[in-house]
Amino acid sequence: FLCLVAQFCCGFFVILILGNFWFLAVLYLLWLYLDWETPCTGGRRSQWVRNWTVWKYFREYFPIHLIKTSDLSPNHNYLLGFHPHGVLVAGAFGNFCTSSSFKNLFPGLTPYLHIMPIWFSCPFFREYIMSAGMVSASKESVSYVLDNKGGGHASVIVIGGAEESLNAHPGSLTLNILKRKGFIKMALKHGAHLVPVFSFGENELFKQVANPRGSRLRNIQEKLQKIMGFALPLFHARGVFQYSFGLIPYRQPIHTVVGSPIPVKQNLNPTTEEIEQLHALYLQKLRTLFEEHKRNYGIPEHKSLIFE
């Protein structure tokens, strides 16, 4: 979906350049130069955009639900680790980039969804995603959000990243997390409390072409992901008037469960051992969160998370 909108925005920009409105393109390029750092300094959200009626229908289509398990005090800053990535990341967008129930469940907290910096280089598209509350996933951007002295900020990071979308098959519970420890280091440096978030149903929205590790397709996808910065899963779902084939996601409920915070004491220079210890604790809390709620959302008793 993001790719399609981004392509439309880039196409519109090309039309401006090739048409009789090249001066508008030049003005926008000047604006882009002057505004380049905004995605790394909190973005520029618009409550009007976040309140668009279309997002209400978007959330109700699946539907998307946000489940609170513990209070999050607005006196602290938080780093929310979102799992799994899925193909669409619908739970993250619906709950943190629109006027969902987040504000009512967690009063005083402002969520910032961090996405790949490459999206903010796309003309016009960058303005739209910033207005929805998305910011860059760069270290500078995360630091800016978590450095709020008064608390009340919540960085939302999809820990598995684009690579994890290649595991987004129905029923898959594989998370790319064992080597991802940068978010742990950021939490320690800023004293941001860690909160595991698991979105049940995220992997059920599309069917993906079989791409087991080691297969030719998976090797190609992984190489392209390293070159372009984002993955290209080959997926399909339903159409507008039929359910056999199309790119519209299936209507499968998504329940995004926000776990309890893991208190983190600020440490400007954490050692490798301290990072490893907190990472292990985070994995333990994430697994516990999944095990406590899996029965409520149709996960068989014998199924468990797989960390890789």
Side-chain angles (χ1 to χ4, degrees), residues 196-231:
V197 179
F198 195 88
S199 195
F200 292 89
E202 200 74 44
N203 284 340
E204 318 305 317
L205 306 184
F206 297 93
K207 292 180 180 178
Q208 189 173 168
V209 175
N211 60 341
R213 288 193 179 278
S215 66
R216 185 176 181 181
L217 174 59
R218 185 62 169 257
N219 290 336
I220 293 174
Q221 289 175 318
E222 290 177 345
K223 288 179 181 178
L224 289 175
Q225 189 262 325
K226 291 179 180 179
I227 294 172
M228 300 183 298
F230 56 88

Side-chain angles (χ1 to χ4, degrees), residues 46-111:
S46 165
Q47 203 57 41
W48 174 68
V49 173
R50 290 168 62 87
N51 280 326
W52 280 354
T53 303
V54 66
W55 304 137
K56 175 178 178 291
Y57 293 122
F58 174 81
R59 294 192 304 269
E60 292 177 351
Y61 171 80
F62 298 98
I64 295 174
H65 304 281
L66 186 65
I67 292 87
K68 171 184 176 180
T69 64
S70 177
D71 289 332
L72 298 180
S73 170
N75 296 324
H76 300 291
N77 293 317
Y78 299 89
L79 195 159
L80 277 61
F82 184 92
H83 313 270
H85 184 287
V87 171
L88 190 63
V89 206
F93 179 82
N95 287 310
F96 306 118
C97 296
T98 71
S99 292
S100 64
S101 57
F102 184 89
K103 186 176 181 179
N104 294 328
L105 292 176
F106 303 102
L109 281 186
T110 302

Side-chain angles (χ1 to χ4, degrees), residues 1-2 38-46 49-50 55 88-89 92-94 96-98 111-116 119-120 125-137 141 145 156:
F1 175 74
L2 285 177
T38 301
C40 294
T41 54
R44 187 172 45 248
R45 70 180 56 214
S46 165
V49 173
R50 290 168 62 87
W55 304 137
L88 190 63
V89 206
F93 179 82
F96 306 118
C97 296
T98 71
Y112 296 83
L113 179 61
H114 296 270
I115 65 174
M116 291 183 296
W119 293 115
F120 296 97
F125 181 67
R126 69 189 296 275
E127 318 303 334
Y128 156 67
I129 56 179
M130 277 197 290
S131 65
M134 290 181 243
V135 292
S136 173
S141 177
V145 173
V156 182

